[in-house]
Amino acid sequence: MNQTIFNSHLFSFLKKSASPYHAVFQMKHFLEDHGFSQLPDRTNIPPGPGSAFYHIRDNGSLIACIFGKEEQPEDGFRILAAHTDSPCLQVKPLPDIAQDTYLKLGVEIYGGPLLQTWFDRDLSLAGRTCCLMQDGSLAVFLIDFKRPMLVIPSLAIHFNREANKKNEINAQDDLPPLLAQAVAGQLPNLKTLLFEQIKQENPLEKIKEVLTFDLFCYDTQVPAFTGHKEEFICGGKLDNLLSCFVGMQSITAGQMNKNCLLLCTNHEENGSVSVAGAGSDFAESFFKRVIPDPTTRLRALEKSFLISMDNSHATHPNFISKSDKGHKIFLNKAPVIKINANQRYATNSMSAAIYKKICSEVQMKPQEFVMRSDMACGSTIGPMTAARLGIQTVDVGIPTLAMHSIREFTGTADPFLLYRTTAKFLEMDMEELAIRP
């Protein structure tokens, strides 16, 4: 696969992944097309050599695993990790706000989005719903309206002359997007619209009522190349669906000879503390199921290595002073090792050395990022996953500008550069990655 084909597949994945649930749905079918099967529920049967399988929790988190043809479980696993969610606006449970002739939707802030970038955009809705069926059972349906339905109009500068100098956003009052205006004196309501959309997407299902939902606003503008020679990529949810895509492509690229695992969890952007987050027992319980013997499982984890993939800040050309002068990060150069003295990233000197060796195998020199010492540092699922599993971990990512904007920005070469390192990692012998004490 070359960079052009890789980016084409990436754009297709991003277009179809309007919510974390849709991203996992896409990954599930991609894995099945490449020989993976779903792990049966409530089984503790050790898979045999050469088996490939996946497990999903709460629709939004996924583990894909290969038991290599040439290895035993106690030989350890090469692990890639990422998260499926992105900062956005989530619809409230009782969202309908009738304002004169308009219908607005009440929303909450999910994670830490750059709020000003959500104004005046063509927004749609996607997520999952839980429905009561006509036979009395409950069923979950994914839903995606796929078309512009919502907008959050900006206030004209004539009413706020300081808008370009100081523009505070009140999350309760300023963010509810417009959904509809009364026609013939009547306003629709969201649950009716949901019911109609679910029936349209699932015409054979006998649905009685929409009970609950997890719905998110998203930008309908598709990813695009930009720049004089199309050297940049601009699009929504690059953080962190791009890493999920890289992991998905990497674990299906080899010959299933080595022990490999892909972990994609939900809710990183609001702390990972959920049934499907990195702070849950998702990964631990999975390892207990597929390696029931505790001694074998301990040996496997002790010999494993984890690459936590989450986008890295690039040095902003308009805000050079916001970056550490000794650690400038550029687009289209190489993946970034993320380092923090207080372990906001899981990287240490040993794990960084291992990743540098992996990069050297594909003739690449990674960049190294640290925050300015007078600024707070973000985090990833890396430290939490490393702590829960006891696995040596490095945090890496592609360089990114406009992180947490509704449309983020990276280099055209960057996704494929990261893929080259992770695909190489999954085919290397664990002895090549060992560090002599």
Side-chain angles (χ1 to χ4, degrees):
M1 185 185 301
N2 61 33
Q3 177 180 301
T4 301
I5 295 174
F6 190 85
N7 283 336
S8 174
H9 292 331
L10 169 63
F11 280 23
S12 177
F13 176 72
L14 292 173
K15 292 173 188 175
K16 296 176 182 178
S17 300
S19 75
Y21 313 116
H22 288 82
V24 168
F25 182 79
Q26 297 302 320
M27 295 173 72
K28 160 188 160 70
H29 286 283
F30 183 87
L31 291 167
E32 289 177 346
D33 289 343
H34 287 78
F36 286 68
S37 57
Q38 188 159 11
L39 186 69
D41 289 335
R42 300 180 178 88
T43 60
N44 293 319
I45 302 173
S51 58
F53 46 93
Y54 67 88
H55 178 53
I56 294 173
R57 179 182 282 191
D58 195 45
N59 301 116
S61 294
L62 175 144
I63 290 177
C65 185
I66 295 172
F67 273 54
K69 300 174 186 176
E70 300 174 350
E71 296 185 322
Q72 299 298 316
E74 56 264 37
D75 293 327
F77 286 78
R78 302 145 189 83
I79 304 175
L80 302 175
H83 64 87
T84 60
D85 60 324
S86 302
C88 62
L89 302 178
Q90 182 169 358
V91 178
K92 291 182 177 181
L94 302 174
D96 297 324
I97 303 172
Q99 180 74 50
D100 298 322
T101 65
Y102 301 105
L103 176 65
K104 303 186 294 182
L105 294 184
V107 292
E108 289 187 275
I109 298 173
Y110 180 99
L114 278 169
L115 293 177
Q116 69 269 21
T117 66
W118 285 77
F119 285 77
D120 309 317
R121 304 294 303 185
D122 298 331
L123 305 178
S124 191
L125 286 174
R128 68 176 176 183
T129 62
C130 189
C131 297
L132 178 66
M133 308 301 287
Q134 291 182 10
D135 63 3
S137 63
L138 298 175
V140 171
F141 296 95
L142 300 189
I143 185 171
D144 182 2
F145 284 90
K146 295 184 180 179
R147 62 181 178 86
M149 291 183 61
L150 306 164
V151 67
I152 308 173
S154 294
L155 180 65
I157 197 169
H158 310 78
F159 300 107
N160 181 11
R161 294 292 183 179
E162 300 296 310
N164 291 326
K165 297 179 181 179
K166 183 180 180 182
N167 188 22
E168 294 183 0
I169 298 171
N170 184 288
Q172 177 70 18
D173 298 332
D174 300 342
L175 291 180
L178 290 179
L179 173 61
Q181 189 172 23
V183 177
Q186 293 184 332
L187 284 169
N189 63 76
L190 181 61
K191 280 199 173 182
T192 298
L193 297 178
L194 293 178
F195 183 88
E196 293 172 352
Q197 183 67 23
I198 297 168
K199 290 294 294 181
Q200 180 180 322
E201 295 184 29
N202 307 273
L204 300 180
E205 297 288 352
K206 297 180 179 180
I207 302 166
K208 182 178 180 180
E209 181 184 359
V210 177
L211 296 180
T212 55
F213 49 78
D214 296 295
L215 287 178
F216 306 93
C217 303
Y218 74 92
D219 184 17
T220 58
Q221 186 176 354
V222 298
F225 294 110
T226 185
H228 173 57
K229 295 187 176 181
E230 297 190 336
E231 58 263 59
F232 308 122
I233 291 173
C234 187
K237 301 184 290 293
L238 299 183
D239 175 15
N240 191 28
L241 289 185
L242 192 153
S243 297
C244 293
F245 178 79
V246 168
M248 177 181 76
Q249 292 287 336
S250 299
I251 201 169
T252 57
Q255 302 300 314
M256 297 188 180
N257 293 324
K258 309 294 185 183
N259 296 333
C260 303
L261 187 140
L262 172 64
L263 171 66
C264 296
T265 59
N266 201 357
H267 302 133
E268 188 273 346
E269 296 294 354
N270 52 26
S272 292
V273 182
S274 70
V275 69
S280 73
D281 70 341
F282 183 39
E284 294 168 85
S285 63
F286 176 83
F287 273 111
K288 288 178 181 178
R289 289 181 61 191
V290 298
I291 312 178
D293 179 68
T295 302
T296 303
R297 186 169 62 250
L298 179 61
R299 288 174 179 167
L301 293 175
E302 286 179 340
K303 291 184 179 180
S304 298
F305 186 74
L306 191 155
I307 298 179
S308 168
M309 303 180 294
D310 202 348
N311 295 16
S312 172
H313 296 290
T315 301
H316 199 301
N318 291 347
F319 300 92
I320 297 291
S321 63
K322 294 296 184 180
S323 297
D324 185 282
K325 293 181 179 179
H327 297 82
K328 290 185 177 180
I329 305 297
F330 299 97
L331 305 183
N332 290 313
K333 182 178 180 181
V336 182
I337 300 175
K338 302 159 69 173
I339 303 162
N340 179 258
N342 293 304
Q343 285 293 287
R344 298 290 288 169
Y345 304 132
T347 307
N348 56 41
S349 60
M350 295 176 65
S351 63
I354 291 172
Y355 186 70
K356 286 186 176 183
K357 181 175 181 178
I358 296 168
C359 290
S360 70
E361 293 290 323
V362 291
Q363 292 76 51
M364 201 180 303
K365 184 178 180 180
Q367 305 181 81
E368 295 177 271
F369 170 83
V370 295
M371 283 294 279
R372 282 179 56 105
S373 300
D374 55 359
M375 295 179 68
C377 182
S379 191
T380 70
I381 67 171
M384 192 176 297
T385 307
R388 293 197 69 99
L389 296 179
I391 295 177
Q392 189 75 263
T393 300
V394 63
D395 265 300
V396 306
I398 63 159
T400 305
L401 295 171
M403 189 180 291
H404 287 201
S405 168
I406 198 169
R407 287 181 69 78
E408 298 168 314
F409 197 79
T410 190
T412 301
D414 288 314
F416 192 66
L417 291 174
L418 178 61
Y419 165 77
R420 287 178 58 204
T421 71
T422 54
K424 182 63 178 179
F425 165 58
L426 295 187
E427 68 179 29
M428 293 178 69
D429 291 331
M430 296 304 292
E431 291 76 12
E432 297 181 72
L433 305 175
I435 296 181
R436 189 173 62 206

